[in-house]
Amino acid sequence: TQTVDTVHAILTGFPPTITVYPNRQGSQRDSGIADDVELWHLAVDQENTWRMGRDEWAQGVFDQALSGVGVVREVYPVPDWWIRGEGSPEDLAQFPVVQQAIPPTQFYFELGNPPRGRFKLCFYDMDMSVGDIQDTYGVTLDLRRTDDGDLMEKELDEIRSVVDWWEWVGNEIYHCIYVNVRDPKDNEPLGQFIKPPTVMPEYWMLPYHVFFFRDTGSRDYSRMGLSVLFTLDEIVHDMEILASRQMAAFEKYADPIIVAERGPNGGDAPIPIDKSPGSILDIAQGDRVSYLTWPGSPPDVRYLWEKFDAITTELSFAKGLLAQGADTTGFRAALDRDTSLLKISKGLLN
């Protein structure tokens, strides 16, 4: 909708600002290191945008505005020898940082304690084909079962659920990747670990950035964040009903219903009615034909529409912010703009 697009454009209209402060103010060496780190972060953002074909952070903000929560996954899928500083960057066949916007409907978590962040565990449940799993992770999946419970050869295009699981255990972060498939006979999971539960010392936080649009404080995931459309849900539904009734009223005036009744000697056969242009209605003596007219004065639909429109503007954005209502004064337009921006300030801070 235009409301979501407007919020998305306001929040992502400018590139992100990345600032790294030097360890010691006035130190030329530390300032140079800080500048290099800033450039590296900007390069990571641009490289991921190029590799993914879209701005993943902007997509997360779009999910935030539309569904109330945005999720961005940021991981470092590099081998241990690269983390230890062994070898050269040219030996690494993949980019060391991956940023990916996750559909909120495929993300799950359990709340934790504040010192370690808001979440104790979180995981991403994605569907992948057997062929993609084996190529991506370099593993060979187990055979799958038939309806009778017998093992049979797997198909490369068979879809399986892949769970990317991260969890705080004590003072350490554990990570595992599990492929899950249900046994059609008894509905028991028949999966396998691609990566067994492993301590991830290079991580100091769970690699999922979760940001809500309107944070409600609820512990229920489905109610923790409200979208920008939350306040418009009922009013838009009422306006759709009003528009439908308005169109029905217009049809009754522009193309009224014809009522045809047989006379005393006309029999029981219905009178054929053709309302196409140039058609002729053939009736016998004593038959009656009339239009079904409105029994009273027409409803003031325009008043109701303007009333709903004013409520919608109050709940969302002023028309000036949507390039509408250009007849307002500059002072009024500035007030409307500032009032509208206040409605997305919480989402912007998050």
Side-chain angles (χ1 to χ4, degrees):
T1 63
Q2 189 174 8
T3 300
V4 175
D5 292 338
T6 300
V7 174
H8 186 253
I10 293 174
L11 297 181
T12 62
F14 298 95
T17 300
I18 299 175
T19 303
V20 178
Y21 296 99
N23 291 333
R24 293 174 298 177
Q25 296 292 336
S27 172
Q28 186 174 359
R29 178 179 178 276
D30 288 357
S31 297
I33 294 176
D35 293 340
D36 291 340
V37 174
E38 285 186 11
L39 293 176
W40 184 83
H41 279 288
L42 290 172
V44 168
D45 182 71
Q46 295 178 5
E47 182 72 14
N48 274 278
T49 300
W50 174 75
R51 288 172 178 261
M52 294 295 187
R54 66 179 185 181
D55 189 332
E56 295 299 303
W57 291 101
Q59 179 61 39
V61 172
F62 181 83
D63 294 335
Q64 176 200 27
L66 181 62
S67 60
V69 57
V71 183
V72 176
R73 173 172 173 259
E74 186 175 20
V75 295
Y76 318 108
V78 294
D80 294 338
W81 60 262
W82 195 87
I83 297 176
R84 293 193 301 265
E86 302 174 1
S88 62
E90 291 77 12
D91 297 331
L92 190 63
Q94 59 191 16
F95 194 65
V97 181
V98 174
Q99 297 170 340
Q100 179 186 11
I102 300 299
T105 55
Q106 296 176 260
F107 176 75
Y108 307 88
F109 62 82
E110 178 180 328
L111 293 177
N113 298 317
R116 296 173 182 169
R118 191 170 188 175
F119 310 111
K120 177 181 182 295
L121 65 86
C122 56
F123 64 91
Y124 170 39
D125 189 355
M126 50 189 163
D127 293 331
M128 296 178 64
S129 67
V130 170
D132 288 341
I133 294 173
Q134 296 185 153
D135 291 341
T136 302
Y137 298 102
V139 297
T140 301
L141 295 182
D142 294 337
L143 302 179
R144 66 182 179 89
R145 295 182 183 270
T146 64
D147 293 343
D148 298 329
D150 300 327
L151 294 177
M152 65 180 295
E153 292 294 335
K154 59 185 175 296
E155 300 176 1
L156 294 180
D157 59 350
E158 178 186 344
I159 301 299
R160 294 192 177 182
S161 172
V162 180
V163 177
D164 182 75
W165 187 288
W166 295 79
E167 180 177 359
W168 277 101
V169 179
N171 293 323
E172 297 175 317
I173 293 179
Y174 278 76
H175 176 227
C176 69
I177 302 176
Y178 185 79
V179 179
N180 187 29
V181 61
R182 292 284 179 179
D183 186 343
K185 185 176 181 180
D186 52 14
N187 201 33
E188 290 296 326
L190 295 171
Q192 70 179 98
F193 281 105
I194 293 179
K195 177 181 180 180
T198 306
V199 179
M200 306 297 289
E202 64 272 20
Y203 288 85
W204 57 274
M205 61 175 291
L206 300 182
Y208 285 88
H209 303 278
V210 184
F211 39 97
F212 299 95
F213 188 80
R214 290 188 178 97
D215 195 341
T216 63
S218 172
R219 298 183 68 86
D220 184 357
Y221 178 45
S222 62
R223 299 176 179 272
M224 292 183 73
L226 302 178
S227 74
V228 67
L229 300 177
F230 174 75
T231 56
L232 300 175
D233 186 22
E234 295 183 1
I235 190 66
V236 171
H237 179 66
D238 292 339
M239 293 183 69
E240 290 176 348
I241 296 176
L242 180 62
S244 177
R245 293 176 178 175
Q246 185 180 23
M247 292 180 63
F250 286 160
E251 290 178 357
K252 289 181 180 180
Y253 278 99
D255 188 13
I257 298 175
I258 298 178
V259 180
E261 301 175 281
R262 288 291 187 186
N265 301 322
D268 297 331
I271 300 176
I273 298 177
D274 182 8
K275 299 182 68 174
S276 60
S279 61
I280 298 176
L281 183 62
D282 189 10
I283 60 176
Q285 185 177 4
D287 294 343
R288 291 182 301 174
V289 178
S290 62
Y291 285 108
L292 185 63
T293 59
W294 196 277
S297 59
D300 194 353
V301 179
R302 174 53 55 186
Y303 168 75
L304 289 177
W305 185 266
E306 292 176 352
K307 184 176 182 64
F308 281 141
D309 183 60
I311 296 175
T312 304
T313 301
E314 182 179 354
L315 294 177
S316 60
F317 295 103
K319 293 184 177 181
L321 203 63
L322 303 177
Q324 302 174 5
D327 55 340
T328 58
T329 63
F331 180 70
R332 173 62 184 273
L335 290 178
D336 289 343
R337 180 195 60 205
D338 294 341
T339 304
S340 299
L341 294 179
L342 286 176
K343 300 173 183 178
I344 65 172
S345 59
K346 185 63 179 297
L348 174 61
L349 291 175
N350 291 343

